[in-house]
Each structure stands twice: as C-alpha cells, then as structure tokens.
Amino acid sequence: MAASKKKRRILITAGGTREYIDPVRFLSNAGSGQMGYALARAALRAGHRVTLISAPTTLKPPAQAELLRVVSCEDMFRAVKKKFPQSDCLIMTAAVSDYTPAKKEKTKMKKGKKILTLRLKPTPDILAWAGRHKKKGQILVGFALEDKNLKKNAEQKLLKKNLDLIVANKPDAIGAEQSAVFLKSPSGPWLALPYQSKRRTAGCIVRMIEKLLAAN
Ligand code: CTP
C-alpha cells in the first residue's frame, strides 16, 4: 500500500437472504454473493481491513476477511448494527428480502388440496437505517437492481437512503460472472463501467470509495 494511503475498515454485506416459512422451506432470490465477495477481495488487495457479512452462498470467503454468517434480513440487520459504528464504509451488495412470512411454522407444513395463501410482512431496510445513522466521515454505498428507468430509480435510492454512492445494474447481473454497472455520487455525473468481470468492477468501485473517503 502507498505510504499516503490510509488503511480503512470496510464492511460488506453479500448474498441473498433467506426468510424461512417452516423449518425446511424459505423465500429467497438469485443473489449469489459474487459481487460482495469480489469487493471483499478487492478491498483486501488494496490493503484495507474487511468484515464480510454473508448470507448463504456456495462461495469460498477470503481468509483475511472477518466473516459473519447470517441467514435472514433480521440477522443481517443485527450484524450491521453491531459492526457499522466501527466501520469507515458500508457496502450493501446483499440481495435482501423485502418481505418475510408473517408467521414462521414451527414444524414442516403438511400439503393440502386447497389454495395456500402465504401472508408476508415487510422487512427492515438495512441501508436506509444506515443512512439515518451514519456519522461524519462514514461512507455508505448501495446497490440498485432495476429493470426499467435504471438511472432515475437508482438516483431516487441514492437520495432517499442518504447514500454517498449508488451502483446501479440490471437483473441480468444477479448471479452472473460479469456485469455492466453505472455509478453515481450525489454531486457527480453518472459513470458507466464496461461490461466486465465482477473482479474488475469491484476494483473500480474500491478505488472510487477510496476517493470518497479521502475527500470526506
Ligand atoms: N436493502 C436493504 N434492506 C432491505 C432491502 C434492500 O439494505 N430490506 C439494500 C440493498 O442491499 C441494496 C439497496 O438497498 O443495496 C437497494 O436494494 P433494491 O432491491 O434495489 O431496492 P429496494 O430498496 O429493495 O426497493 P425496490 O425493491 O422497491 O426497488
């Protein structure tokens, strides 16, 4: 690491959370954790200290990162609340479930012949919470997954959740090895990164975060 560069504490969430309906069934999404794990590796390569809060994935975590395994949105929220105060930057790459079953059955549900209606309740928005609680000097990075009006919707999330950087991409990025992303900070213009490996994209995002931290 260059002598002038500061070692930062980077907190990263990754993977798709699971919301259990009963002991063996859950609601989840196609989040694979690849972007979050690539960011963890990029931040470590750049000499930073990394805490990775990971929802279930099949990926091998980088050995040098502190790893906290979580399952549901509620678990992830608890872990973020614990680690965020000591972090210079939080990057929320996790594909967090927006809903969870209103009631979790204690035993495996039995099948029946009637239509089954599942009642869901909203989960807490972890990133919005961090936006309300961030202290001076802390940088907050969110991801936005949008099928349409990508830039408009992503910019709304940037402002509404009080973020310092938003990384916008399309649903085809989820679970893929490569992706094309767009980046924006509140005062800067949109920056388009080429369609490339998540490893390369992660390197670009970490450099951008370093600049934001240095300017903050
Ligand atoms: N996020 C979060 N907690 C949630 C849902 C999302 O922290 N309960 C974070 C994600 O990790 C991501 C950002 O919020 O960094 C945006 O997630 P996204 O799914 O694009 O948008 P939502 O805010 O969930 O809104 P919508 O699904 O309506 O687009």
Side-chain angles (χ1 to χ4, degrees), residues 13 15 17 73 76-77 80 90-99 122-130 141-147 153-154 157 160-161 163 165-167 169:
T13 66
T17 59
C73 170
M76 185 170 277
F77 194 19
V80 168
L90 166 63
I91 316 175
M92 282 291 308
T93 68
V96 185
S97 309
D98 288 329
Y99 293 91
T123 55
D125 189 318
I126 303 171
L127 190 54
W129 173 88
V141 182
F143 273 66
L145 195 68
E146 310 289 347
D147 341 71
N153 289 347
K157 282 175 193 170
K160 201 170 153 206
K161 300 195 190 194
L163 310 180
L165 184 67
I166 190 94
V167 184
N169 53 18

Side-chain angles (χ1 to χ4, degrees), residues 22 26 31 39 72-73 76 84 92 94 111-112 121 127 146 161 163 170 175 185-186 198 203 206 212:
D22 73 11
F26 55 82
L39 278 162
S72 65
C73 170
M76 185 170 277
F84 183 55
M92 282 291 308
K111 73 175 166 229
K121 60 179 184 189
L127 190 54
E146 310 289 347
K161 300 195 190 194
L163 310 180
K170 297 205 173 128
S185 61
K198 289 187 175 174
V206 167
L212 290 171

